[in-house]
Amino acid sequence: MKTITWVKMIAAGASCCIGGPALIYYVTPSEEELFSRYNPELQRRSLENRKGKQEDFDTFVTRLKQYSKSDKPIWTAWEEDDEKTRKLGVQAMLEAKRAEDAAAEARRQEIKGSLR
């Protein structure tokens, strides 16, 4: 091939490889620009929920760090922790139900005692 063809191909490749990402960088708005385009109601809701979302993200990252310290893969450690949490939740629900049933039975006995 001729040298001019190689030069054209290199120039075309460089323009695609460099110009494409540069165009995307130029066209993409920043977070502040996007936020300023929100209507006032969405801005208010976004500001109200920002702290909670940040806390959720922080706890998520903390849990991932804990899972990564074990020898097991992260998804396995995640499933084990999820199973433990689920079991604790079920136990708490059962205990609450038992306490509620005991309180209801005590009220029944009190009502029976007051009727006699």
Side-chain angles (χ1 to χ4, degrees), residues 64-76:
L64 278 181
K65 287 180 183 178
Q66 290 173 352
Y67 299 150
S68 68
K69 290 179 183 177
S70 70
D71 295 335
K72 301 174 187 175
I74 291 176
W75 56 87
T76 306

Side-chain angles (χ1 to χ4, degrees), residues 90-106:
V90 168
Q91 288 176 354
M93 283 177 39
L94 288 175
E95 289 174 8
K97 179 71 173 153
R98 288 183 191 129
E100 186 178 303
D101 290 344
E105 185 63 31

